[in-house]
Amino acid sequence: IVDIQRKYGDHLYSKADFDGAMSQYLLTVGKLEPSYVIRKFLDAQRIHNLTLYLQALHEKGLGNSEHTTLLLNCYTKLKDAGALDKFIRWDGLQFDPETAIQTLCAAGYVEHALHLARRHNRHLLVVAILVQDGHKHLEAVEYMAALPPADALTCVRAVGANVMPVEPAALTALLKTLCASSFPSSSSSAHAHAPATTHAAASGRKGEADRGAGGSGG
């Protein structure tokens, strides 16, 4: 059946019935090598038809990183912000988020890229986009401050040199907090052990007193 659908699609394609051909090729998703169809529509510059096919691949969990890049490039060339909105909020859609984020940034869709990075917890990409693309240095510091210390420190190492000249006070405060969480002060440590030491000393004194009383009684 797949071979029949492919041949009929090829026939319609040769007649320049691109919509009809695509309707046949869509029936072959998951059964026919995607590159066979993609090459045809790339060569013909039929971006709308190509977009439909790439969407179908992703819907069935068959899209790889190259397919994701190609689909997002189709959306950006069509200037279809609505389709991009749907893509980045599409629950259950399988794709490589880092590829998608980088493609969106390169095309100038920074807010879409940022949303995707936040959604997939790509912390380094979030702060990089905020600092380098969005020039939102304070927001980057606030984002890092909300992360677990180890993640925050990794992000500071990545973007700290760019953030410090712009938000020195905010970044310094964050660094102090991270240092405090990583290296508790000696006075705090001593205080934490003080009750146990006092209790031990008190127990020792009580034992001596009991022994003294016993000796007197004898």
Side-chain angles (χ1 to χ4, degrees), residues 24-63:
Q24 291 301 308
Y25 292 136
L26 286 172
L27 298 174
T28 71
V29 171
K31 303 165 190 174
L32 180 66
E33 174 58 40
S35 61
Y36 178 85
V37 178
I38 292 171
R39 276 198 307 268
K40 282 181 173 289
F41 287 87
L42 272 177
D43 293 343
Q45 293 293 303
R46 301 292 301 179
I47 192 168
H48 288 88
N49 298 122
L50 181 59
T51 301
L52 286 175
Y53 186 77
L54 292 167
Q55 284 178 171
L57 284 178
H58 284 81
E59 286 169 1
K60 296 197 174 184
L62 300 172

Side-chain angles (χ1 to χ4, degrees), residues 114-205:
L114 185 58
H115 176 89
L116 211 52
R118 288 180 186 274
R119 183 172 182 178
H120 290 273
N121 295 317
R122 296 305 198 268
H123 304 311
L124 281 172
L125 287 173
V126 170
V127 295
I129 292 169
L130 285 172
V131 173
Q132 296 167 14
D133 296 289
H135 305 292
K136 298 177 180 178
H137 299 79
L138 182 57
E139 189 175 336
V141 175
E142 292 169 347
Y143 180 86
M144 291 187 285
L147 296 175
D151 291 334
L153 190 55
T154 299
C155 290
V156 169
R157 286 172 178 156
V159 300
N162 292 321
V163 174
M164 184 59 81
V166 183
E167 292 292 345
L171 185 58
T172 300
L174 173 59
L175 289 170
K176 287 180 179 178
T177 300
L178 292 175
C179 287
S181 65
S182 301
F183 307 103
S185 66
S186 57
S187 60
S188 298
S189 299
H191 182 71
H193 293 294
T197 305
T198 303
H199 178 72
S203 298
R205 287 195 297 272

Side-chain angles (χ1 to χ4, degrees), residues 1-10 24 28:
I1 295 177
V2 176
D3 196 46
I4 294 172
Q5 292 165 336
R6 179 187 63 79
K7 287 181 177 178
Y8 187 44
D10 289 349
Q24 291 301 308
T28 71

